[in-house]
Amino acid sequence: VAIADVSWFVTPGSELDREARKRGNSTYLPDYVVPMLPEKLSNDLCSLKEGLDRPALCADMRFDKDGRKRGHRFYRAMIRSQAGLSYNEAQDAIDGAVNDHAAPVLESAVKPLYAAYAAVKKGRDHRSPLDLDLPERKILFDETGHVDGVKLRERFDAHRLIEEFMIQANVAAAETVEEFKLPLIYRVHDQPDPEKMDGVRTFLDSMNYTLARGQTLKPSNLNAVLHEAEQRDESMMIGQVVLRAQAQAIYDTENISHFGLNLRRYAHFTSPIRRYADLTVHRSIVAGLNLGKGAQSEREANELASIAEDISVLERQ
């Protein structure tokens, strides 16, 4: 997993860094983005464009056939993307409808990538994270800029593949920084509030679903309800009820684990262009591995707790 090396360009305490921290993240509106970083970085120098050399921070991860991670390492590299495929192009290619753009990398990259995902998916299924596979909605506009409608975005295995590899890279990042005993901003997700869950149980009882009381709640308990709802063609409604009962995921230097993903340690690493948290994690890795420019400064290390609090508030806003 190769991620644009934003820490090489945006160093701690620089003017770029101060502005990025003030924004906290890129803000996405239906037809417009307010970026965390200037477009020269976000859309050019830190964009892994097809056929161009770009600096990256890379996570090499090794999994066995059952999806158990056997090891990982991080390093800086200069990479050149051979094909910037869309999700649709990648999915069509693996399904047999290969276009000219995907054809040169089908055997060398696309097929091995899907085979790797098949192994990692076994590990995901065994871990049993909260299975809220709710569809995204895209707002459509007419030529005058007014809302013309809303449509559901279809989700493919191509989306799930990228999602799972990003999750694994985030886990590897957290583990690596912990190895060096450096301060780290985790992405944490607390268990659902017991009072909210009582309300959920009451609602589920009225719909003839069963969610046991008096036991430690696990994502797998909720997944059993969600899978039953899918069989009964009520997955959209039940999924929304389960979603609204969840705690808000936040950034914190104290690790309380991630309930939804069912992971003990998790840190955002894969989107430093649009999330300040990821940039701080990159800097921690660069510092721990002595990779040079852009490493975490002592000042930033001391401020991580307040940074985590600030960017959590900014995310909510």
Side-chain angles (χ1 to χ4, degrees):
V1 174
I3 305 298
D5 193 356
V6 177
S7 62
W8 181 266
F9 296 95
V10 184
T11 54
S14 64
E15 191 171 351
L16 279 173
D17 182 46
R18 289 194 298 273
E19 181 65 23
R21 179 176 170 179
K22 188 168 73 175
R23 296 180 180 218
N25 47 253
S26 294
T27 302
Y28 290 83
L29 305 168
D31 61 341
Y32 187 73
V33 178
V34 182
M36 184 179 80
L37 298 173
E39 285 195 25
K40 180 64 178 174
L41 290 176
S42 59
N43 289 345
D44 186 6
L45 297 175
C46 294
S47 180
L48 304 184
K49 293 187 173 182
E50 182 177 319
L52 298 177
D53 290 352
R54 288 290 184 264
L57 189 57
C58 302
D60 266 3
M61 298 174 288
R62 297 187 304 281
F63 297 88
D64 65 19
K65 61 185 176 61
D66 295 317
R68 288 185 292 261
K69 185 156 67 71
R70 294 307 190 188
H72 65 262
R73 68 187 181 106
F74 285 87
Y75 54 89
R76 272 180 156 157
M78 191 70 76
I79 75 159
R80 184 183 301 166
S81 171
Q82 298 302 306
L85 302 185
S86 68
Y87 288 106
N88 293 67
E89 284 180 311
Q91 191 62 50
D92 285 348
I94 206 71
D95 290 341
V98 190
N99 65 14
D100 292 341
H101 191 203
V105 294
L106 177 63
E107 297 297 331
S108 62
V110 177
K111 286 184 177 180
L113 194 59
Y114 273 82
Y117 171 61
V120 172
K121 186 177 181 299
K122 290 181 185 177
R124 177 187 175 88
D125 292 343
H126 178 74
R127 191 176 85 239
S128 192
L130 188 59
D131 193 14
L132 277 172
D133 201 12
L134 297 172
E136 277 190 54
R137 291 166 176 81
K138 179 179 174 62
I139 298 177
L140 306 175
F141 296 89
D142 62 22
E143 59 276 3
T144 65
H146 291 90
V147 174
D148 193 36
V150 181
K151 74 171 185 178
L152 296 179
R153 289 184 190 267
E154 190 176 355
R155 266 174 67 81
F156 309 113
D157 273 350
H159 295 97
R160 298 181 184 95
L161 176 155
I162 294 298
E163 184 179 272
E164 188 58 25
F165 286 137
M166 296 304 108
I167 288 170
Q168 293 299 335
N170 289 340
V171 170
E175 292 174 347
T176 294
V177 177
E178 282 190 357
E179 285 173 21
F180 294 112
K181 295 181 168 54
L182 290 171
L184 170 68
I185 291 179
Y186 295 90
R187 182 66 167 178
V188 298
H189 182 223
D190 205 353
Q191 292 208 3
D193 178 81
E195 288 189 15
K196 278 189 176 180
M197 287 312 303
D198 284 342
V200 170
R201 285 188 177 91
T202 300
F203 174 78
L204 292 175
D205 286 346
S206 73
M207 299 284 292
N208 294 317
Y209 289 90
T210 301
L211 181 60
R213 300 174 189 269
Q215 64 180 33
T216 301
L217 185 69
K218 297 178 181 178
S220 57
N221 302 134
L222 296 172
N223 285 343
V225 173
L226 292 168
H227 296 162
E228 184 181 347
E230 193 171 356
Q231 299 298 318
R232 290 164 53 171
D233 202 24
E234 296 172 346
S235 56
M236 287 285 284
M237 177 177 59
I238 301 301
Q240 288 292 340
V241 170
V242 171
L243 175 65
R244 291 177 184 182
Q246 299 305 306
Q248 179 79 24
I250 61 170
Y251 295 107
D252 204 322
T253 51
E254 296 296 321
N255 182 24
I256 61 168
S257 76
H258 198 295
F259 174 80
L261 293 174
N262 201 14
L263 291 167
R264 285 185 296 166
R265 54 185 64 85
Y266 188 69
H268 275 165
F269 161 80
T270 53
S271 293
I273 292 173
R274 62 183 183 90
R275 294 187 305 224
Y276 194 79
D278 303 51
L279 179 54
T280 68
V281 173
H282 276 231
R283 289 169 175 166
S284 293
I285 292 171
V286 171
L289 293 172
N290 295 312
L291 295 179
K293 180 183 171 185
Q296 183 185 77
S297 66
E298 185 177 350
R299 179 176 178 178
E300 182 179 74
N302 292 331
E303 292 179 347
L304 280 189
S306 61
I307 290 173
E309 188 176 346
D310 289 345
I311 59 180
S312 293
V313 171
L314 288 165
E315 182 187 28
R316 292 296 295 275
Q317 291 175 345

